[in-house]
Amino acid sequence: MMKKLKVFDLGNQKSDEGLGTALEFIIMGEDSIAINHLKQLYNSTQNSLVKSEAANLLFDLYFTRSEWSQIETDGLLEEPSIEKSNRIIARSCGMSEPPLYSFPESPIHTPMKLSFSGCPTIEVLINGKKKFFWLDTGAGMTVISSTLANECSMNLLKEKEMVVGNSTNQDLDTDLAFIHSIKIKDLLIRNQPALVLSDNLLEIPLPDKKGNMVIDGIIGWDIIQHLHLEIDYKAKEVLIQKPITKENKDRNLFFCGAPFIKVSSLNEKPLYFGLDTGANKTHFGQPLLSKLDNLVVENRLIHAGGIGDVKEREIQCINYLSIQFNSQQDITFANVRMMLSDFGSFFTPDGVFGSDIAKDGRLIIDYANRKVDVFR
């Protein structure tokens, strides 16, 4: 079992008491089976580390499925190994009406612009007010600015212990709000929980432009997972429709603290990359260096970072990286930087795909069927 787990470079290697089995089910997209396995493990193990990891994996699966009552029933709201912020959010969501999605009969087509950082941006109506939001699979929850929350007279849950991590592993203070309505053309989402960040944290310096990029808000994975989403970078258009579950033997997408895609090296060695449409470029993780030969790695000074922390940094870069996205499709990336932070919670990935994975093409995300396709 641990031999299989080592492809994930789990850092402080975890016991093989059953966590590996749970991860295998998660990778296969069998979340319900993984949940049952983790519940049994959490309640039976005498190993404190295994119990902690089982609790966090179980909480994460419940959280992304909005199964707030199960979090409480299984005693996870009081589990000290789970971050206090996440438990506060889960408790609040459990006391509120669940999000409600109303899809039109026909697919939605809406224009898209790329932000200066390369993130797809679309027009939305937040409680009737027109704004422009990022489509960011790397954001676990939807985010709004404090100005927008005030503009819409939203009630905020304020807790001193509530923080959110950014892309350089910094903790940022946050509040919680529930958005009455989000409209994207004829798609209506009601009662959507969202993190509220101060305006300055949603302003990203643009060294080449001598100014800041201001972000109204972010549509995160908590919404994207419920959509069939197509981002057409060439046509600058986004298509959204209600997902239709179907039998799919070619699953390559799974969720483990964040969305991940199963790919391979050109010699068919399994690789695991996160998916972050909020990043303009693909990044590599430390485990990749021990898996692929003949990589040319250099140190370079680059302006990089994320919300609340963009500055010039010395970063390792790979000149060229080629991966096999599927049996019929190879993709090569140039000037691939090393990841600045963790992506997901439970293992160090081989890298994270940014928006450049579908540069001048189309990215299709269909989490209901655990599938990502790229057309370049």
Side-chain angles (χ1 to χ4, degrees):
M1 183 60 64
M2 290 308 294
K3 184 177 181 181
K4 293 181 181 178
L5 283 176
K6 283 179 182 176
V7 301
F8 291 93
D9 189 32
L10 285 168
N12 56 336
Q13 292 294 334
K14 300 171 178 63
S15 165
D16 62 350
E17 279 192 48
L19 289 171
T21 300
L23 279 170
E24 286 182 345
F25 284 125
I26 290 170
I27 293 166
M28 291 188 291
E30 301 291 350
D31 292 354
S32 295
I33 299 175
I35 284 172
N36 290 333
H37 190 84
L38 288 165
K39 283 175 67 173
Q40 182 178 2
L41 185 61
Y42 176 65
N43 291 317
S44 63
T45 184
Q46 300 300 311
N47 184 315
S48 60
L49 177 59
V50 171
K51 187 178 183 70
S52 170
E53 294 298 333
N56 278 272
L57 267 171
L58 187 57
F59 182 93
D60 225 41
L61 290 171
Y62 283 147
F63 197 101
T64 195
R65 292 154 65 108
S66 301
E67 294 182 354
W68 315 117
S69 61
Q70 283 299 132
I71 291 176
E72 183 174 11
T73 299
D74 288 357
L76 299 177
L77 290 177
E78 310 305 326
E79 170 57 51
S81 69
I82 297 170
E83 286 188 12
K84 185 71 176 290
S85 296
N86 292 338
R87 289 185 279 140
I88 291 171
I89 293 169
R91 179 177 281 110
S92 300
C93 290
M95 297 170 63
S96 303
E97 291 294 320
L100 179 64
Y101 288 72
S102 298
F103 287 89
E105 292 184 4
S106 301
I108 295 164
H109 296 264
T110 188
M112 174 200 79
K113 294 181 179 179
L114 292 180
S115 70
F116 284 115
S117 65
C119 184
T121 304
I122 62 170
E123 181 182 305
V124 300
L125 292 178
I126 304 296
N127 292 356
K129 299 184 183 297
K130 185 170 76 171
K131 300 294 175 182
F132 291 90
F133 273 37
W134 284 13
L135 287 171
D136 187 356
T137 57
M141 285 187 66
T142 292
V143 174
I144 60 174
S145 68
S146 55
T147 290
L148 177 55
N150 292 332
E151 190 179 339
C152 294
S153 302
M154 296 182 192
N155 295 321
L156 302 185
L157 171 67
K158 294 178 174 286
E159 293 275 355
K160 290 183 179 179
E161 297 166 296
M162 198 154 63
V163 296
V164 61
N166 70 356
S167 62
T168 54
N169 285 337
Q170 290 185 329
D171 285 336
L172 310 174
D173 292 335
T174 184
D175 300 320
L176 181 69
F178 289 86
I179 303 172
H180 176 66
S181 70
I182 300 175
K183 284 200 73 176
I184 307 172
K185 292 293 181 91
D186 292 328
L187 168 64
L188 175 63
I189 305 168
R190 293 194 178 276
N191 311 318
Q192 176 63 41
L195 300 176
V196 182
L197 296 181
S198 62
D199 291 358
N200 66 299
L201 295 177
L202 291 174
E203 294 182 3
I204 298 181
L206 300 170
D208 296 337
K209 305 291 181 181
K210 296 183 179 179
N212 292 336
M213 175 174 56
V214 178
I215 306 169
D216 292 331
I218 298 169
I219 294 173
W221 182 254
D222 54 344
I223 288 179
I224 293 172
Q225 66 173 326
H226 297 294
L227 314 176
H228 174 100
L229 177 67
E230 300 187 17
I231 304 173
D232 192 327
Y233 290 89
K234 184 175 183 179
K236 292 185 169 50
E237 182 181 73
V238 166
L239 179 147
I240 299 172
Q241 61 184 342
K242 185 176 182 178
I244 300 173
T245 305
K246 52 195 172 185
E247 186 174 350
N248 179 19
K249 296 181 180 179
D250 298 320
R251 294 177 172 182
N252 64 351
L253 175 64
F254 65 95
F255 183 88
C256 191
F260 289 91
I261 305 175
K262 295 180 287 185
V263 294
S264 63
S265 65
L266 296 186
N267 61 359
E268 299 187 348
K269 182 176 292 187
L271 301 174
Y272 299 86
F273 275 67
L275 177 62
D276 184 3
T277 56
N280 65 335
K281 287 184 65 65
T282 291
H283 292 67
F284 74 92
Q286 186 68 37
L288 187 74
L289 299 179
S290 62
K291 297 179 183 180
L292 302 186
D293 299 324
N294 302 318
L295 293 175
V296 178
V297 182
E298 300 176 350
N299 288 340
R300 297 175 187 166
L301 276 176
I302 297 172
H303 271 92
I307 289 175
D309 186 31
V310 174
K311 60 185 179 183
E312 191 173 59
R313 306 170 189 270
E314 186 176 41
I315 300 175
Q316 285 188 309
C317 297
I318 295 174
N319 286 346
Y320 292 97
L321 173 63
S322 295
I323 61 99
Q324 187 178 90
F325 192 79
N326 55 48
S327 60
Q328 299 178 328
Q329 186 178 27
D330 296 343
I331 300 177
T332 297
F333 302 91
N335 301 318
V336 183
R337 306 171 187 173
M338 190 169 194
M339 294 165 50
L340 293 176
S341 67
D342 300 330
F343 192 83
S345 308
F346 304 102
F347 60 86
T348 302
D350 296 301
V352 177
F353 291 129
S355 284
D356 58 342
I357 190 175
K359 182 180 179 181
D360 299 325
R362 203 156 44 105
L363 174 67
I364 301 177
I365 303 170
D366 183 8
Y367 184 66
N369 292 293
R370 303 300 193 268
K371 193 80 170 76
V372 170
D373 286 305
V374 172
F375 297 93
R376 293 164 64 102

